[in-house]
Amino acid sequence: MKKSLFVLTAALAFGVAAAQTAAPANPAPASASAPQVPTLTDVPAGHWAKDAIDRLVSRGIILGYPDGTYRGTQNLTRYEAAVIIARLLDQIRTGEVSPSSITPEDLTALQNAIQELAADLTALGVRVSDLEENAVNRDDFARLEARVEELATTNGDAAAVADLKGQIDELTSRVDELSSNYDALRADVDDNASSIAALNDLTVLLNQDILNLQDRVSAVESAQADFVQRSDFDNLAGRVGAIDTRVTTLENAPKFSIGGTLNAAYGRLALVEGNQNFDVDRLTNGTFAAKAFGTGAVNGPDTSSDFNNAGSLTFGVRASNLTTASGAIVVNSANLNFGLTDVTNTSGSVVPVLTLTDATANGTIGGQKFDVRYNFRSNAFKFSDYLFNNTAGVSGRGIVANIQATQLPLQPTITVVTGATTSPALTGASGTPAPSVNYFGVRGVVKPNADSTVGLSYAQASRTGFGVDYSLKYGVFTVKGEGVISAVNAIENNFLAGNAQGFFTNGNKAFYTDVTADVGIVTFGVNYRTIDPAFAAATSYPIAAGVNAGMSVSTGSRPYAPDQVGFGAALGTAVGPIALGAYADSYTTYAGEDRTTGFGVKAGGKLGALELVGFYNRVTVNNNVVDGSSDYLSSDLDINNNSAGMGIANVPFAMTSSFGAQLSHDGQATNALVKNLDFTVANAYFYTTRTNSFAAYADYTAAVAGLTLEPLVRYHLVTSPNNDVAANTFKYGVKISTQPLAGVPFQPSAYFNIVNRITNSGTGLGVNNATTTELLGQVGVSLNQFLAPNTTARVGYSYYQGFNVDGVSIGNSSAAPFDASDSRIYGSRGNQNGIVNGIFAQVGFYGLNANYGVFRYTNLNTGTTNTAQGFKVNYTFNF
């Protein structure tokens, strides 16, 4: 019995210890304190069973004897086994140990222990029954003693009585011993019965796990017929692996595809009445017919236009995953696009020639990323603000290549550009057609830290130029600037021929540097610049003629205008409810003449994107105070569009002699109080000429009941003592549009746009004190699912009238009719009067569009009418 109990207890105990290596199903609360673990003094360190005993002790299954010993060589009694088993059962019931952690070997030991306990209990029961049947109880002895006393009194045989009493005492002693044995046997029976009951409970739990396991085995056996053999599975796995390898190979293999666009157009817009050509773009701008009958820009007459185009074809080859045999060069993707280009042959005939119009590629060279681009007609690139600034594109073919040279010292990004100009329409300084000029440039950029860059540039065309630019950020400081020197290609300027002094002496130079410090709520800045007038925008082709020192087409990103030497400082608040700003600026021409000096301040408060400030400005030229602008009606005075203040101070009406106040709100800012609401209310008093300019304008975008509403309003009043520049302008309008109505036949949508402006002016503006008015109205309906899927039908009507404007037949291309910050719609002040209107329609089916329109211009000065009629059919097919 002891052996079976020991085997069972050890098996269960080690099973419990092993189960504890996994997270318990019901872990104890974090706040529960760990049990007090006793220390057993007689288990020697290094004993082969010490680890097992320590695990049992740590789990509270064995606590040792009261004297702190384990007594490992002593036999295990049934009592001790029952206590250990009871502790195990308690842990099973509380979920600390799962019955599923008991192995079949543990179950066998458990069954053997139960059988031994049952056999012992049966034997004990027989012994107890015998004792119960043959035992003499104390009542019998009491009666016997009473009888003996009675006999002794009656017979008086003291010796016999004494002898009898001795026997009775001996018998009593034996009865007490038997009673003690009976109590011990009864305790053993009770203990074994409790142990058997507990073991039976454990057996029930284990049998349930066995039944569940048998069910799973049965399910597996029943489904075994559907299982594949291991060899079949291995074969299938091998085939899958082979297919996966082939798929990976195919994914990494070079891929090629062809796509392109076919365009064809035919049509004409021409006068059918009258002889004065006129512009129609102002009518169709912002509608579905934009660019259908013109360029889309209000910059010239459209009514003498041919749209006859035999067709244009562009197609391209796409490739990816191209790798050299050594793997050193990997092209991730490449595109080659071809098209038909008209070329004049030797006989003077114009013939279409298949040409590579553009090409791109990107990938890695030795693990270094690169990209390259070729364009046949226009090459766009930029080195810096003052050198090779050609984001608008140099006319003619060219290549731009970039590589991140991580294997070189400092890991620069290198850009190489090259090409040739071809622009016979542009002329050189002599008025002759500009010759073709080859150009070349190389630029390297390094990053001293994550927020800083330093660039070195070399450019050559009809000039040679060098440049360095930098943007360095360290802590709160940012230093940004550029230096460029450029000289015409001539022997006296050829530094390679030993004329370096001539190059630096004769070269045109541009330099500026800005230093800003952002210290939290306040940002400070200082600048210095010296810009040669040769860096002004070229009036002829800049690279070919060599008249632009920066060899640049684009000049809009230059922070400082050419022909000045000067310096400035600024400060402004960046965050918080207080809006402060101040600037000071002073410069002369590059030759050192006519010093202009200005300063200004603003102060006020901010609430989100809403700012209210008062401001004061003062500007002098050669120490004489001037207003700083004579165009008081220009919208440019309403915004700070010059470099003074470095974008930090943002003082209204900078570099003028004025004071006043301005309230503004930026509806596009992330902290806008009302999203999509932009407005400005400003009053500036120019104290030199005592001219006052007040402007208030706003625009808003909102969606209401399925409509998109875009209202605008503007009021601008200018007054002066002599009334020579007095004027007031009121402009208002709205754009209304709908989305296609999906639940209505043909899915219609519509738009309605109207804007009107009225300007009353004084006598000093050369228009006889007349009122200038402009009105533009547009309305249109679209059927977005017309008769067949992907078929649309649209019709629109537009009306424009202008009185006392500078042009009706030709408008101003820079005007924005629905811009609240601009007083104009399309024309400035003038003496022309007229009306232009027209109706136009379009039918679309996939890439096919057919346009028709009738337009009329009535010259109210002469009373003549001019009518034009046009159509245009164009087809675009993408493949």
Side-chain angles (χ1 to χ4, degrees):
M1 172 66 202
K2 291 182 180 180
K3 179 179 179 182
S4 297
L5 283 175
F6 177 77
V7 172
L8 170 64
T9 303
L12 292 177
F14 281 104
V16 169
Q20 302 311 312
T21 61
N26 297 296
S31 60
S33 61
Q36 190 70 27
V37 178
T39 301
L40 302 179
T41 60
D42 61 341
V43 180
H47 192 277
W48 62 270
K50 180 173 175 54
D51 290 342
I53 294 169
D54 290 343
R55 286 199 298 269
L56 295 176
V57 172
S58 67
R59 296 303 307 167
I61 296 171
I62 292 177
L63 302 180
Y65 290 95
D67 60 355
T69 62
Y70 179 66
R71 304 177 190 178
T73 59
Q74 181 175 305
N75 290 334
L76 182 71
T77 69
R78 286 192 298 272
Y79 300 118
E80 294 166 339
V83 170
I84 292 173
I85 293 172
R87 289 172 182 163
L88 289 171
L89 291 173
D90 288 341
Q91 293 192 7
I92 292 173
R93 291 190 187 96
T94 58
E96 296 180 56
V97 178
S98 172
S100 60
S101 65
I102 307 301
T103 66
E105 291 78 6
D106 298 337
L107 183 61
T108 299
L110 173 63
Q111 290 172 339
N112 292 337
I114 292 173
Q115 290 174 0
E116 288 192 23
L117 285 171
D120 287 348
L121 184 62
T122 301
L124 288 171
V126 171
R127 292 171 61 191
V128 171
S129 298
D130 290 341
L131 287 171
E132 289 177 340
E133 291 176 359
N134 299 314
V136 178
N137 58 34
R138 293 183 180 275
D139 292 339
D140 295 334
F141 282 105
R143 287 193 300 271
L144 180 60
E145 285 180 339
R147 181 60 178 163
V148 169
E149 291 293 339
E150 182 182 353
L151 289 173
T153 303
T154 304
N155 300 324
D157 189 353
V161 170
D163 182 60
L164 183 59
K165 284 185 176 181
Q167 294 180 23
I168 291 173
D169 291 339
E170 182 181 357
L171 183 59
T172 299
S173 175
R174 291 178 60 191
V175 168
D176 290 338
E177 183 180 356
L178 288 173
S179 178
S180 175
N181 290 337
Y182 174 82
D183 292 338
L185 289 173
R186 173 57 64 185
D188 284 348
V189 170
D190 292 339
D191 288 342
N192 282 278
S194 298
S195 298
I196 291 173
L199 292 172
N200 281 334
D201 290 341
L202 179 59
T203 303
V204 170
L205 294 173
L206 297 175
N207 282 340
Q208 185 62 47
D209 286 345
I210 292 172
L211 290 175
N212 292 337
L213 183 60
Q214 288 175 343
D215 291 341
R216 293 172 60 191
V217 171
S218 299
V220 172
E221 290 175 345
S222 63
Q224 189 173 9
D226 297 330
F227 292 170
V228 298
Q229 296 297 321
R230 181 68 186 183
S231 58
D232 295 335
F233 176 80
D234 291 340
N235 291 334
L236 180 61
R239 293 174 62 187
V240 170
I243 293 174
D244 182 65
T245 301
R246 292 173 61 190
V247 169
T248 302
T249 302
L250 289 173
E251 288 177 344
N252 295 329
K255 296 180 179 63
F256 298 91
S257 62
I258 296 178
T261 300
L262 174 64
N263 289 306
Y266 180 78
R268 179 172 176 78
L269 176 63
L271 292 171
V272 296
E273 179 186 6
N275 57 10
Q276 185 174 359
N277 290 307
F278 57 95
D279 161 70
V280 300
D281 280 324
R282 73 183 69 195
L283 302 178
T284 59
N285 256 356
T287 74
F288 60 85
K291 297 186 180 181
F293 299 102
T295 63
V298 188
N299 60 356
D302 301 312
T303 52
S304 179
S305 302
D306 280 327
F307 310 122
N308 297 337
N309 187 342
S312 63
L313 172 66
T314 60
F315 68 92
V317 178
R318 313 287 183 262
S320 60
N321 297 336
L322 305 179
T323 307
T324 60
S326 64
I329 301 177
V330 177
V331 178
N332 296 328
S333 65
N335 301 314
L336 301 175
N337 298 312
F338 300 87
L340 296 175
T341 302
D342 290 337
V343 176
T344 303
N345 59 22
T346 56
S347 62
S349 300
V350 178
V351 295
V353 176
L354 185 64
T355 305
L356 177 63
T357 58
D358 62 89
T360 61
N362 66 78
T364 59
I365 299 177
Q368 304 168 111
K369 292 183 179 180
F370 80 92
D371 63 83
V372 60
R373 170 173 45 86
Y374 165 81
N375 196 288
F376 178 75
R377 294 183 176 88
S378 179
N379 196 24
F381 55 91
K382 176 183 177 181
F383 279 10
S384 62
D385 290 329
Y386 291 92
L387 184 63
F388 260 21
N389 187 348
N390 293 303
T391 54
V394 176
S395 180
R397 68 192 67 184
I399 297 174
V400 179
N402 301 285
I403 183 171
Q404 297 179 13
T406 56
Q407 297 179 8
L408 294 180
L410 303 179
Q411 300 184 349
T413 297
I414 299 174
T415 299
V416 177
V417 302
T418 186
T421 64
T422 53
S423 184
L426 297 174
T427 59
S430 63
T432 59
S436 176
V437 173
N438 296 324
Y439 61 88
F440 170 80
V442 60
R443 170 175 168 81
V445 178
V446 298
K447 296 177 68 67
N449 58 49
D451 299 318
S452 303
T453 60
V454 176
L456 296 175
S457 302
Y458 168 78
Q460 180 172 330
S462 54
R463 284 174 164 262
T464 298
F466 294 91
V468 57
D469 58 274
Y470 45 89
S471 178
L472 308 174
K473 183 173 178 59
Y474 293 97
V476 300
F477 292 96
T478 299
V479 181
K480 184 178 184 298
E482 178 180 351
V484 174
I485 181 170
S486 168
V488 175
N489 290 337
I491 188 63
E492 64 270 18
N493 300 331
N494 191 334
F495 59 91
L496 295 178
N499 295 325
Q501 182 177 354
F503 178 84
F504 286 99
T505 301
N506 301 327
N508 304 109
K509 305 172 184 68
F511 172 78
Y512 82 92
T513 190
D514 294 345
V515 181
T516 59
D518 186 348
V519 295
I521 62 172
V522 178
T523 301
F524 302 90
V526 294
N527 71 79
Y528 174 78
R529 71 269 188 185
T530 171
I531 315 295
D532 192 294
F535 286 89
T539 57
S540 59
Y541 200 60
I543 289 181
V547 297
N548 180 280
M551 294 173 277
S552 302
V553 174
S554 308
T555 57
S557 63
R558 299 176 307 184
Y560 300 99
D563 195 19
Q564 64 170 288
V565 177
F567 54 88
L571 67 85
T573 55
V575 293
I578 299 176
L580 296 174
Y583 73 91
D585 199 84
S586 181
Y587 62 90
T588 67
T589 64
Y590 196 74
E593 302 170 342
D594 299 328
R595 175 165 295 278
T596 299
T597 302
F599 68 89
V601 294
K602 74 171 185 181
K606 296 175 64 176
L607 177 60
L610 181 69
E611 180 181 270
L612 173 61
V613 295
F615 61 87
Y616 176 84
N617 296 287
R618 181 179 179 87
V619 62
T620 63
V621 177
N622 296 326
N623 295 321
N624 297 315
V625 180
V626 298
D627 277 357
S629 174
S630 59
D631 186 7
Y632 305 101
L633 302 180
S634 171
S635 61
D636 292 343
L637 286 178
D638 297 334
I639 57 176
N640 183 8
N641 66 342
N642 53 55
S643 58
M646 304 174 61
I648 297 173
N650 294 320
V651 177
F653 299 87
M655 295 303 286
T656 65
S657 294
S658 63
F659 62 84
Q662 177 173 287
L663 174 68
S664 61
H665 179 264
D666 183 0
Q668 312 309 312
T670 56
N671 59 347
L673 301 183
V674 180
K675 202 67 177 175
N676 299 322
L677 173 62
D678 299 293
F679 70 82
T680 299
V681 180
N683 188 85
Y685 180 75
F686 298 86
Y687 47 85
T688 302
T689 60
R690 295 182 295 169
T691 300
N692 192 82
S693 176
F694 171 80
Y697 52 95
D699 58 66
Y700 181 58
T701 300
V704 179
L707 301 177
T708 299
L709 305 177
E710 300 176 73
L712 66 98
V713 63
R714 173 181 176 83
Y715 179 73
H716 189 189
L717 173 65
V718 178
T719 59
S720 64
N722 300 324
N723 207 33
D724 54 349
V725 294
N728 66 81
T729 296
F730 183 47
K731 178 180 177 180
Y732 57 92
V734 65
K735 297 175 68 176
I736 304 174
S737 61
T738 70
Q739 294 295 321
L741 304 178
V744 177
F746 305 125
Q747 297 187 13
S749 60
Y751 65 87
F752 173 75
N753 308 325
I754 187 169
V755 61
N756 184 42
R757 76 108 163 186
I758 303 170
T759 299
N760 297 307
S761 300
T763 58
L765 298 181
V767 291
N768 299 321
N769 200 26
T771 297
T772 294
T773 64
E774 288 185 281
L775 173 66
L776 173 66
Q778 300 172 320
V779 62
V781 176
S782 298
L783 303 179
N784 299 286
Q785 286 290 345
F786 181 63
L787 300 180
N790 298 300
T791 303
T792 60
R794 300 180 172 94
V795 61
Y797 172 78
S798 295
Y799 176 91
Y800 171 81
Q801 71 175 28
F803 292 93
N804 294 311
V805 294
D806 59 357
V808 178
S809 61
I810 300 176
N812 190 315
S813 61
S814 63
F818 293 93
D819 183 357
S821 66
D822 195 329
S823 293
R824 302 167 297 175
I825 293 180
Y826 277 126
S828 299
R829 295 272 297 167
N831 55 12
Q832 288 196 32
N833 304 277
I835 296 173
V836 182
N837 63 338
I839 186 169
F840 39 91
Q842 181 186 94
V843 176
F845 177 70
Y846 288 94
L848 177 65
N849 286 297
N851 298 272
Y852 177 78
V854 177
F855 307 96
R856 176 172 293 176
Y857 163 50
T858 301
N859 188 329
L860 298 180
N861 288 355
T862 63
T864 59
T865 299
N866 306 272
T867 304
Q869 179 176 269
F871 73 95
K872 181 180 181 181
V873 178
N874 59 283
Y875 178 66
T876 301
F877 175 69
N878 297 312
F879 59 91

